[in-house]
């Protein structure tokens, strides 16, 4: 009897589970397939007005690809030049021919959780040190470990620090089931405040730090409507000073193919204007200028819409430059003027700036630029906030000096199981997922387990060093607070603020980096040690000042009888 009752209960539970599942909304769809290749359209009809394009297209690998493969509305445009054709910025347009590259672009990395904060106890920059050292910067609201590139625009809309809680996923937490991408961000999110374009915190615990330059790392949907450096121009729809909410409503695709591949000639290229400006600075002071083996660049001015655009063609694939369009330290925010503390707004071109220098050069670079990101909430020091200086770390490393480039470890050559053809994987991921195609190509005497052991051991070393640097930095901040309470004058505190700036750089540079422990472990160790030493010097200055202040107070106090 008990067995029968138990069976009935199990059956009822199973029925309820099935009914509950059927009541759920449909799961997110997998990545869409790219459309088939379009019949070629005779491009010579377009060359008359688009002369710069003829130089790319007529002799390039894409000369057999018709304009209609990437542009809609050409017939109307030929009849009326003011009827602008629509440019297909969706990577699916390229996927019509480059199918394996398109498919691998949206490979899901299930080992990288969404919204996994770096400030968790086991993260690269754990609390309580993180919030204390970065207060009140917007990154204290949410600072996440990156996941698959396909999500980098979507995640930017939803992160607490970017749009103040304006955007939300249409399906709630179910958006996390999306396996890779090939979607429009506008189809995934809802604007909870559609009646306005204000960029402000709408909810507690959020910040509104996103801006148009920030979005330019995540997407280039706007490439034709953005003048060089994001300078405002009457013919350019978007600029550094545009309302970022309106721009966010207008872009959809993360990491367009044409960041790195010229669509007309198929040549390797870069398009981020801040990097092009850095590579053409008269000072010739970047890491690329000192790299004898780096690709040569050919900067071309484009634009038939009334404003200048620039691209830089490369004489070969050089992924230090191509990945360095985003995996790089660059300034994309308002800030403060060094010396005066005056605010610097998005109208200032310094809000779209690439130093392209290493950790030992960056402090002086931003001082010479007279720029700081934020004012620390306790010490009042004007500080720098890092982005993701991965490319700079890789320069002058052992692997870089040996001629290895980013794509060989992160986008290796693969063989299609069906056709047997070799192609470049566009799943830009850790070599942990490609050990046989990456590490073991050079280290043939290693096993996969050995390669992973090396990676994990190097990471453990650097993470341990960072924890030590955080101790001394937080100790310095605490002593600074004591010094202010003791009445120590600014004449003494200002030199300590300068040391805070430098010590913070040699710590935060490495928490902002991805893969730094493997890219350049020696540089990381040396730099983090510098952070500790500088913090200790600052602590000594503060303790001496506190001691002097207390001694003076004791001397001035009348003796009790």
């Amino acid at each position: 009897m008990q067995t029968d009752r138990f069976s009935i209960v199990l059956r009822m539970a199973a029925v309820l589970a099935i009914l509950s599942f059927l009541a759920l909304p449909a799961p997110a769809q997998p990545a869409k397939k790219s459309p088939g290749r379009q019949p070629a359209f005779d491009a010579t009809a377009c060359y008359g007005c688009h002369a710069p394009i003829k130089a790319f297209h007529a002799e390039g690998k894409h000369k057999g690809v018709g304009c209609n493969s990437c542009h809609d509305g050409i017939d109307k445009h030929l009849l009326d030049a003011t009827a602008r054709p629509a440019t297909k910025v969706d990577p699916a347009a390229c996927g019509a021919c480059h199918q394996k590259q398109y498919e691998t672009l949206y490979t899901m990395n299930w080992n990288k959780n969404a919204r996994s904060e770096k400030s968790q106890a086991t993260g690269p920059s754990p609390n309580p040190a993180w919030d204390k050292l970065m207060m009140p910067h917007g990154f204290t609201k949410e600072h996440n470990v990156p996941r698959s590139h396909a999500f980098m625009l979507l995640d930017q809309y939803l992160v607490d620090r970017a749009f103040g809680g304006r955007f939300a996923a249409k399906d709630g937490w179910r958006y996390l089931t999306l396996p890779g991408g090939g979607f429009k961000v506008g189809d995934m999110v809802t604007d909870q405040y559609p009646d306005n374009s204000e960029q402000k915190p709408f909810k507690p615990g959020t910040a509104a730090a996103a801006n148009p330059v920030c979005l330019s790392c995540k997407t280039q949907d706007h490439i034709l409507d953005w003048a060089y450096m994001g300078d405002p121009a009457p013919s350019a729809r978007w600029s550094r000073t545009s309302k970022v909410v309106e721009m966010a409503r207008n872009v959809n695709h993360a990491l367009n193919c044409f960041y790195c591949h010229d669509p007309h000639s198929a040549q390797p290229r870069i398009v981020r204007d801040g990097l092009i400006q850095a590579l053409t600075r008269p000072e010739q002071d970047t890491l690329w200028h000192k790299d004898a083996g780096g690709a040569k660049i050919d900067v071309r001015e484009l634009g038939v819409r009334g404003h200048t655009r620039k691209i830089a063609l490369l004489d070969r694939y050089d992924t230090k430059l191509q990945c360095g369009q985003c995996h790089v330290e660059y300034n994309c925010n308002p800030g403060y003027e060094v010396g005066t503390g005056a605010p610097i707004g998005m109208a200032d071109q310094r809000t779209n700036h690439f130093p392209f220098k290493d950790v030992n050069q960056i402090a002086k670079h931003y001082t010479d630029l007279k720029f700081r990101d934020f004012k620390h909430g306790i010490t009042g020091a004007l500080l720098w906030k890092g982005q993701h200086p991965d490319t700079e770390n890789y320069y002058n490393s052992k692997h870089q000096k040996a001629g290895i480039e980013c794509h060989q470890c992160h986008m290796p050559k693969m063989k299609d199981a069906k056709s047997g053809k070799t192609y470049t994987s566009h799943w830009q991921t850790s070599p942990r997922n490609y050990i046989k195609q990456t590490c073991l190509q050079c280290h043939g005497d290693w096993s996969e387990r050995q390669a992973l052991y090396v990676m994990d051991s190097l990471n453990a070393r650097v993470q341990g060093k960072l924890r030590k640097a955080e101790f001394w930095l937080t100790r310095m901040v605490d002593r600074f607070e004591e010094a202010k309470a003791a009445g120590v004058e600014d004449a003494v505190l200002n030199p300590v603020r300068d040391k805070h700036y430098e010590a913070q750089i040699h710590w935060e540079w490495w928490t902002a980096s991805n893969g730094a422990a493997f890219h350049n472990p020696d540089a990381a160790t040396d730099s983090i040690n510098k952070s500790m030493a500088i913090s200790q010097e600052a602590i000594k200055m503060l303790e001496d000042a506190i001691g002097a202040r207390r001694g003076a107070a004791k001397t001035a106090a009348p003796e009790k009888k």
Side-chain angles (χ1 to χ4, degrees):
M1 185 63 124
Q2 289 180 343
T3 302
D4 290 340
R5 288 177 179 172
F6 183 68
S7 299
I8 291 170
V9 170
L10 283 178
R11 284 196 289 270
M12 290 177 66
V15 170
L16 287 172
I18 292 170
L19 290 173
S20 299
F21 177 79
L22 292 174
L24 290 172
Q29 296 300 307
K32 64 186 178 184
K33 292 183 178 180
S34 61
R37 183 171 175 175
Q38 301 296 308
F41 175 90
D42 185 5
T44 56
C46 303
Y47 290 161
C49 297
H50 298 273
I53 301 307
K54 178 180 180 181
F56 295 136
H57 188 255
E59 302 300 326
K61 291 182 179 179
H62 280 173
K63 61 185 177 183
V65 179
C67 304
N68 57 325
S69 293
C70 300
H71 303 280
D72 288 327
I74 294 176
D75 291 342
K76 292 181 179 179
H77 181 59
L78 289 172
L79 295 174
D80 178 6
T82 62
R84 181 183 294 182
T87 299
K88 300 175 185 178
V89 293
D90 189 336
C94 301
C97 298
H98 304 281
Q99 295 179 357
K100 294 303 296 184
Q101 290 84 348
Y102 178 77
E103 290 171 11
T104 54
L105 176 66
Y106 295 121
T107 300
M108 184 68 184
N109 186 351
W110 294 108
N111 294 318
K112 285 288 189 77
N113 293 334
R115 307 192 79 160
S116 178
E117 291 224 28
K118 288 185 175 183
S119 57
Q120 293 183 65
T122 56
S125 46
N127 269 324
W130 169 256
D131 277 8
K132 176 177 283 191
L133 295 177
M134 296 303 300
M135 66 183 297
H137 197 280
F139 268 79
T140 59
K141 306 300 183 184
E142 189 169 358
H143 183 41
N144 295 333
V145 177
R147 60 176 181 143
S148 301
H149 282 77
F151 299 107
M152 66 186 193
L153 183 61
L154 171 63
D155 289 350
Q156 184 76 354
Y157 282 50
L158 301 177
V159 72
D160 287 339
R161 71 171 184 271
F163 289 96
R166 169 185 286 275
F167 295 106
K170 287 183 177 178
D171 292 334
W173 61 266
R174 288 179 63 82
Y175 87 96
L176 297 174
T177 64
L178 190 71
F183 54 82
K184 290 183 176 180
V185 172
D187 294 337
M188 301 297 297
V189 303
T190 182
D191 184 347
Q192 300 177 98
Y193 306 93
D195 59 331
N196 68 77
S197 298
E198 292 182 81
Q199 173 65 337
K200 68 177 185 179
F202 289 93
K203 299 177 180 179
T206 67
N211 63 66
V213 178
C214 170
L215 282 183
S216 295
C217 178
K218 313 298 181 183
T219 181
Q220 281 288 312
D221 275 9
H222 59 292
I223 188 170
L224 298 179
D225 286 308
W226 178 271
Y228 183 60
M229 297 306 297
D231 289 339
S235 57
R237 183 176 183 183
W238 308 113
S239 75
R240 296 190 309 272
T241 59
S242 295
K243 290 186 176 181
V244 66
V245 173
E246 294 177 357
M247 184 174 174
R249 290 169 177 159
N250 190 254
V251 295
N252 273 301
H253 306 98
L255 199 68
N256 317 77
C257 304
F258 49 77
Y259 272 81
C260 297
H261 307 280
D262 186 83
H264 299 106
S265 69
Q267 288 179 265
R269 74 174 189 175
I270 57 175
V271 299
R272 290 295 306 281
D273 45 14
L275 179 56
I276 293 171
Q277 185 193 55
L279 301 184
T280 54
R281 280 199 297 260
E283 295 86 351
Q284 299 188 3
D285 56 352
T286 70
L287 291 163
W288 171 78
H289 286 102
K290 300 171 185 176
D291 178 16
K296 303 298 185 291
I297 65 170
D298 178 11
V299 178
R300 303 285 184 91
E301 293 197 13
L302 301 175
V304 295
R305 300 185 177 187
H307 56 269
T308 296
R309 296 191 302 111
K310 290 186 181 182
I311 65 169
L313 299 175
L314 311 181
D315 67 346
R316 65 170 180 82
Y317 280 100
D318 185 340
T319 41
K320 296 190 301 301
L321 294 180
Q322 292 166 289
C323 299
Q325 297 182 88
C326 294
H327 286 269
V328 66
E329 156 54 26
Y330 67 103
N331 184 54
C332 58
N333 291 294
Y336 296 91
E337 181 89 22
V338 173
T340 66
I344 295 172
M346 295 304 295
D348 192 306
Q349 206 176 81
R350 285 175 290 181
T351 59
N352 184 10
H353 182 81
F354 282 52
F356 219 59
K357 295 180 178 180
D358 66 28
V359 66
N360 293 309
Q361 301 170 303
I362 206 71
K364 184 178 184 302
H365 182 91
Y366 277 116
T367 295
D368 292 343
L369 194 67
K370 297 187 182 301
F371 185 91
R372 295 286 189 271
D373 281 282
F374 72 107
K375 185 177 183 179
H376 192 262
I378 295 176
T379 70
L382 292 177
L383 300 178
W384 164 84
K385 171 66 191 82
Q387 300 306 316
H388 16 62
D390 310 326
T391 302
E392 298 97 318
N393 293 336
Y394 189 62
Y395 272 98
N396 297 313
S397 66
K398 290 184 178 179
H399 281 96
Q400 191 263 326
K401 289 178 180 177
I404 306 299
E405 293 196 0
C406 311
H407 66 283
Q408 290 167 270
C409 295
H410 297 281
M411 297 170 60
K413 296 289 185 182
M414 305 286 285
K415 184 171 285 189
D416 184 1
K418 292 182 179 179
S419 67
K421 293 182 178 179
T422 300
Y423 66 95
T424 299
S425 173
H426 276 58
W427 185 27
Q428 305 101 336
T429 187
S430 166
R432 298 180 70 91
N433 299 305
Y434 286 130
I435 297 293
K436 289 182 180 178
Q437 292 84 7
T438 58
C439 305
L440 303 192
Q441 294 298 305
C442 296
H443 302 283
D445 56 334
W446 289 9
S447 66
E448 290 187 52
R449 187 171 186 177
Q450 285 173 308
L452 292 171
Y453 189 79
V454 169
M455 292 180 192
D456 291 340
S457 297
L458 288 170
N459 186 60
R461 163 74 169 169
V462 168
Q463 292 305 314
K465 283 285 184 184
L466 283 171
R467 302 297 81 80
K468 293 178 183 297
E470 285 155 10
F471 168 80
W472 289 108
L473 264 171
T474 53
R475 175 72 172 161
M476 183 268 293
V477 170
D478 291 342
R479 294 300 270 167
F480 197 104
E481 199 164 22
E482 292 175 35
K484 286 200 297 183
V488 175
E489 301 87 353
D490 272 350
V492 176
L493 295 179
N494 284 336
V496 178
R497 290 185 174 111
D498 291 340
K499 287 193 176 293
H500 185 183
Y501 168 63
E502 292 203 29
Q504 182 101 349
I505 282 176
H506 285 286
W507 160 73
E508 215 259 317
W509 180 276
W510 304 102
T511 71
S513 302
N514 301 302
F518 190 82
H519 287 155
N520 205 330
D522 294 337
T525 300
D526 290 346
S527 174
I528 297 168
N529 284 342
K530 284 182 184 178
S531 176
M532 287 187 271
I534 296 169
S535 293
Q536 289 163 0
E537 291 171 7
I539 291 167
K540 177 67 165 57
M541 293 167 66
L542 291 167
E543 290 178 342
D544 287 348
I546 293 169
R549 187 75 179 175
R550 288 173 178 167
K554 186 175 180 181
T555 302
E559 291 186 11
K560 292 184 179 180
K561 294 184 179 180

